[in-house]
Amino acid sequence: MTEVRDDVLSPERASGDRVEGLLALGAAATRLAVLAASCFSVSVGWAVTTNRPAYATLVVVTFGTTLVLTVRLLVLRIMPARLCWITDASIVAVSVLGLGLVTPPADPGDPGVGLLWAAGLCGNACTTVGLWARRRLDLLGAVTMIGIYLLVAFGLNRAPAPLVLSNAAMWTGFTCATWVVASNWRALARETDTLRAVAVREAARAGELAALDRARLVVHDPAAILRMIADPDTPPQALSALRQQAATEAVRLRTFMSDTRTVRTPASVGGSSDGSAGPGDPTLAGAVRAAAEGFADLPIELAVDLAESVVLAPPVAAAITQAVATCLHNVREHAGAALVVVHADACGGGWEVTVRDDGRGFDVNRVVPGHGLRALVHDNLAAQGVRSHVASAPGEGCTVTMAGAC
């Protein structure tokens, strides 16, 4: 079996990549929205801060690092490594703490104005941690930021408890919700990628098996011919016909091996040596006659006159020619028959071909059909909508019947 390389399967990992890309875009979009909204409250903080240089440094560092992170998300379309998010969470936490130190306590008439932009950034950072977290332990980053916010809001900014607690509860809910959604998306993506990779491997395996079956279809009859030529017990009068068939099959094999334009199907395997779909005569009688050529050593009685009016599609004609030839090969190699009757007829809106010999026969309930009967006759005909049936018994010969609609 051909190994499917990881680089070949890389498109099949696209589900996981797409999920990470969507999460990254979501994190970037929400962070940009928070930064845009925070710009309106930066001036308010500038007006009330007790240390403008420290406040300006805090704004530049916080907005600069978050903007770098956002651009990285938009460009790479992938959630970055743990260290990046630890850095982001740490900067946001320091921003909240620093803002509490450089802004006065909350005004009862305008509570929490000093922490306004830091509070929004803290909430967004908590949500982003939920998108990024792969494990429950990773959620400690959000817990830490919320804890620092509560400490600063209650201890330094003295903001009203309802406002602070509602913010903390909202951020906790958002963090948990985004973590659950992101975790399930990642799980579904992994499952999809696994199933797709298995399907790719199974398709490759199926392709190899199909190629092996096509090769078997091509070499089955030539192998039987070569075996009989090499057999010292083969009657001398049969050698001339066998050599003629061997030459024809050699051309067919050479054509098959050199034809890279199309995938040879079972129906086309039985075609002419130039790779066409079937014999020159498109009638049922012509297809049967083409199959009987080269079997002059067999005691064949050919009765096909009643099938002269039945015109077949080229693939069907090729399949009939191949199937009848395979039956005659089996008779020559296994049956030891004194008479072989090949009959083709049109009847009741359909047609029928029978290949009957009076040879050794076999027990159809005990003997498993070989590759010739199974693939070149039954499967090949079934692919063209033609029914086939094998009837035989020890000492009573064998009859292969093929039937189709006109």
Side-chain angles (χ1 to χ4, degrees):
M1 176 177 174
T2 303
E3 182 180 357
V4 181
R5 307 190 317 271
D6 287 342
D7 59 336
V8 174
L9 285 179
S10 57
E12 308 307 327
R13 294 195 296 266
S15 296
D17 294 342
R18 281 197 295 269
V19 165
E20 293 301 323
L22 288 173
L23 294 178
L25 286 177
T30 55
R31 182 61 62 93
L32 284 176
V34 169
L35 287 177
S38 298
C39 290
F40 296 101
S41 58
V42 168
S43 59
V44 177
W46 179 261
V48 300
T49 181
T50 59
N51 188 335
R52 287 190 172 183
Y55 180 83
T57 302
L58 200 62
V59 170
V60 170
V61 171
T62 303
F63 278 62
T65 54
T66 54
L67 191 59
V68 169
L69 173 65
T70 303
V71 172
R72 186 183 190 279
L73 289 172
L74 291 173
V75 172
L76 298 182
R77 300 285 183 91
I78 188 171
M79 301 297 282
R82 178 179 286 108
L83 180 61
C84 183
W85 289 119
I86 291 176
T87 303
D88 177 59
S90 300
I91 290 174
V92 172
V94 170
S95 299
V96 173
L97 181 59
L99 204 59
L101 294 173
V102 300
T103 53
D107 184 345
D110 191 11
V113 69
L115 289 181
L116 183 59
W117 66 264
L121 191 60
C122 182
N124 177 258
C126 291
T127 304
T128 305
V129 168
L131 291 176
W132 167 82
R134 266 68 168 181
R135 304 173 302 171
R136 290 186 178 91
L137 188 62
D138 295 329
L139 297 176
L140 287 177
V143 173
T144 301
M145 282 187 286
I146 294 174
I148 292 176
Y149 168 75
L150 292 173
L151 175 65
V152 173
F154 283 135
L156 297 176
N157 197 251
R158 296 195 290 274
L163 175 65
V164 174
L165 293 177
S166 64
N167 282 341
M170 179 174 60
W171 300 342
T172 301
F174 284 166
T175 302
C176 293
T178 53
W179 177 69
V180 170
V181 171
S183 298
N184 279 278
W185 276 12
R186 289 189 176 101
L188 289 174
R190 285 193 300 269
E191 183 179 350
T192 300
D193 288 339
T194 299
L195 293 175
R196 189 179 289 119
V198 171
V200 169
R201 290 186 172 90
E202 290 298 323
R205 176 61 176 165
E208 291 173 353
L209 293 176
L212 181 60
D213 283 341
R214 288 194 296 271
R216 286 172 175 166
L217 290 173
V218 174
V219 303
H220 178 271
D221 288 352
I225 294 170
L226 293 176
R227 188 164 51 245
M228 293 201 67
I229 291 176
D231 189 350
D233 295 330
T234 298
Q237 62 270 22
L239 291 177
S240 177
L242 287 170
R243 291 191 182 100
Q244 181 181 354
Q245 287 185 325
T248 301
E249 293 297 338
V251 174
R252 196 192 312 275
L253 286 172
R254 190 159 49 247
T255 302
F256 176 82
M257 290 185 293
S258 62
D259 185 5
T260 59
R261 296 168 299 172
T262 57
V263 176
R264 300 293 293 274
T265 61
S268 67
V269 169
S272 60
S273 60
D274 64 357
S276 59
D281 188 347
T283 65
L284 178 61
V288 175
R289 287 195 192 97
E293 293 178 0
F295 292 95
D297 56 302
L298 289 180
I300 298 178
E301 181 179 304
L302 201 61
V304 297
D305 293 342
L306 296 178
E308 295 285 359
S309 62
V310 179
V311 178
L312 302 175
V316 178
I320 293 297
T321 299
Q322 180 69 69
V324 173
T326 298
C327 293
L328 295 177
H329 277 297
N330 286 344
V331 171
R332 173 192 276 161
E333 188 173 5
H334 305 295
L339 179 63
V340 184
V341 178
V342 181
H343 180 264
D345 192 4
C347 55
W351 54 264
E352 183 178 273
V353 176
T354 58
V355 180
R356 180 182 298 109
D357 69 77
D358 61 356
R360 299 184 183 91
F362 60 93
D363 188 344
V364 294
N365 295 319
R366 292 189 176 185
V367 178
V368 178
H371 184 76
L373 280 179
R374 184 179 67 254
L376 294 176
V377 178
H378 182 272
D379 294 348
N380 201 4
L381 292 175
Q384 301 301 326
V386 179
R387 303 182 304 278
S388 62
H389 176 70
V390 178
S392 183
E396 298 183 10
C398 178
T399 301
V400 179
T401 304
M402 312 163 207
C406 292

